[in-house]
Amino acid sequence: MSWLQLLFVELKAILADKAIVVTMFGGVLFYSVLYPLPYLNQVPTQQQVVVVDHDNSSLSRQLLRHADASPKITIVALVGSIDIAQQWISESKAHGLLVIPEGFRRNLLLGKGATLSYGGDASYFLIYSAVAEGLISAGMDAGRQIQLVGLLARGENPQQAEQSLHSVNINSVPAFNPSLGYTPYVVPGLFLLILHQTLLIGTGILGAGQWRKKGYWNHVSPMALIGARLTVFSAIYALFASFYLGYCFYWYDVSVQATLTEVALLMMPFILSTAACGIALSSLFVRRELPTQVLLLVSMPILFVSGFVWPIALIPDLLVQLSQVIPAVPAIMAMLELSQMGAGWTSVLPLWIHMWTLFVLFLLLAFIGVKQRLKTENG
């Protein structure tokens, strides 16, 4: 069998297997829509807040106007008691509550201070964070306004009074992820993980389904079979990677700071090492359903140890060290540094070499595993 004939039968075997087609082609397309969907709104804003105003003064109403002007929250109702406000939250009509105490204006004018009470549904920590941040910001603005009125009443120069209340101005400029949204933060790493898992499952199903049968794989050398399989799967996933890193990044407005050449150089060892890892793992299974079950179980741990959804410093060192044999881990870190953070190629060079090292390692393991499987079945 010539090399071209071997490539053709490999491609035919992949396309003729419904489980592989659904996992690879269907999975890549399906997950390109499903996973980014929860993050399309970027950050939680305009969270509904209900207010209990026991003061009902001009100052409390001014505070509510400030709060309602915040991009984080929206005042949806004024109710008579905390119990009613809690009922609103229980019925999901609101996500937070603000309680303005009686004597709020009088105490502030007398310089006694006043305590505003905030509360909210902390089941969704992002929503709760938005509510708390919006209410605290509104409260601080109201406090500064009262201080300004007091300073002016004591005859302070308006300009000096304003400067004394804003002696330090913070100019916050995000170095990375300028939109501060979740989509450009999560999607790049998530797409690489999807490519990684579907490629492992595809190669696993193909190998596990062949070892106990007779076919073209019994008439070629292990190295030729591995080489052809690597070539075909890599070609398919080069197209998938182009779809994810090209069209999907554009569609989801993900910023890309790396050049096309740098991204291509980075994806090459990632796809090859993942495909070699999948072929090596396939030699461990003789039942087609097992690779899918095992790899789905480890998907979530891989997501966490990859370091972009959970700080690596909070993960046990042993797990971090063990995760370095997973091709997705250095690939995700390298892609985030190169494409999202604008790092130079020299910064990701150690991770690039790391992926090539994994490719050589898994190629060797794949050769040993496939050779042993073919020897057992042919014998």
Side-chain angles (χ1 to χ4, degrees):
M1 183 179 294
S2 68
W3 174 251
L4 288 178
Q5 289 175 322
L6 183 55
L7 291 179
F8 177 75
V9 294
E10 273 288 308
L11 179 61
K12 185 179 177 182
I14 293 171
L15 297 179
D17 193 313
K18 292 181 181 177
I20 296 177
V21 171
V22 170
T23 300
M24 288 171 42
F25 293 87
V28 168
L29 290 174
F30 178 67
Y31 289 131
S32 69
V33 177
L34 179 67
Y35 277 147
L37 197 60
Y39 308 106
L40 290 182
N41 290 325
Q42 302 285 5
V43 292
T45 58
Q46 301 296 317
Q47 298 304 311
Q48 296 88 352
V49 172
V50 63
V51 177
V52 182
D53 187 359
H54 292 305
D55 192 52
N56 197 23
S57 63
S58 58
L59 187 57
S60 66
R61 289 190 290 274
Q62 182 181 355
L63 171 65
L64 296 184
R65 287 194 295 273
H66 283 195
D68 200 34
S70 168
K72 297 286 185 180
I73 57 178
T74 297
I75 304 298
V76 293
L78 282 168
V79 297
S81 67
I82 295 177
D83 290 337
I84 298 176
Q86 290 176 333
Q87 186 66 28
W88 274 66
I89 296 176
S90 300
E91 295 174 355
S92 299
K93 296 179 181 176
H95 296 297
L97 65 89
L98 168 64
V99 180
I100 302 175
E102 186 177 0
F104 170 69
R105 180 176 179 273
R106 183 194 63 222
N107 290 334
L108 284 178
L109 292 178
L110 293 175
K112 294 181 179 179
T115 302
L116 294 172
S117 300
Y118 308 131
D121 180 5
S123 303
Y124 304 97
F125 68 94
L126 292 177
I127 294 176
Y128 179 77
S129 174
V131 170
E133 186 179 343
L135 290 176
I136 290 172
S137 176
M140 293 178 66
D141 286 343
R144 279 194 290 266
Q145 190 66 27
I146 292 297
Q147 290 178 353
L148 178 63
V149 171
L151 290 172
L152 294 176
R154 288 195 291 271
E156 291 278 350
N157 181 285
Q159 187 174 4
Q160 290 180 346
E162 186 73 29
Q163 288 179 347
S164 66
L165 293 176
H166 301 89
S167 54
V168 177
N169 293 316
I170 299 177
N171 183 20
S172 176
V173 179
F176 313 113
N177 188 9
S179 67
L180 298 178
Y182 291 106
T183 303
Y185 168 69
V186 171
V187 165
L190 207 53
F191 277 173
L192 288 192
L193 184 61
I194 294 170
L195 293 174
H196 181 266
Q197 292 304 94
T198 54
L199 179 52
L200 289 180
I201 292 174
T203 50
I205 293 175
L206 183 63
Q210 291 178 339
W211 304 137
R212 285 185 172 180
K213 299 177 181 177
K214 296 294 183 182
Y216 67 89
W217 50 91
N218 299 112
H219 305 290
V220 295
S221 67
M223 205 62 225
L225 181 64
I226 294 171
R229 194 154 295 180
L230 276 176
T231 303
V232 174
F233 274 103
S234 297
I236 295 173
Y237 269 77
L239 295 176
F240 289 161
S242 301
F243 170 67
Y244 269 5
L245 306 183
Y247 176 77
C248 290
F249 273 21
Y250 171 76
W251 180 257
Y252 292 116
D253 199 21
V254 177
S255 62
V256 179
Q257 301 191 43
T259 65
L260 180 62
T261 304
E262 289 174 334
V263 173
L265 283 174
L266 190 65
M267 293 302 293
M268 188 184 302
F270 167 62
I271 293 175
L272 286 173
S273 59
T274 305
C277 179
I279 296 171
L281 289 175
S282 72
S283 65
L284 301 176
F285 303 104
V286 292
R287 292 170 57 187
R288 288 166 47 83
E289 66 275 14
L290 284 179
T292 304
Q293 296 172 357
V294 172
L295 291 167
L296 285 179
L297 283 176
V298 300
S299 294
M300 195 56 72
I302 293 175
L303 176 67
F304 278 92
V305 297
S306 59
F308 73 101
V309 297
W310 191 257
I312 291 180
L314 300 180
I315 300 175
D317 290 339
L318 179 60
L319 289 180
V320 174
Q321 295 301 323
L322 291 175
S323 69
Q324 299 308 305
V325 299
I326 303 171
V329 172
I332 290 174
M333 294 308 298
M335 178 60 75
L336 293 179
E337 290 182 19
L338 187 69
S339 181
Q340 308 311 123
M341 302 171 73
W345 182 256
T346 53
S347 299
V348 300
L349 187 59
L351 295 170
W352 190 69
I353 296 174
H354 183 173
M355 286 187 282
W356 279 115
T357 305
L358 290 179
F359 170 62
V360 174
L361 172 65
F362 286 124
L363 187 63
L364 178 62
L365 293 176
F367 177 74
I368 296 172
V370 172
K371 182 180 179 181
Q372 188 62 33
R373 279 292 175 192
L374 293 179
K375 182 180 178 181
T376 302
E377 299 304 326
N378 291 334

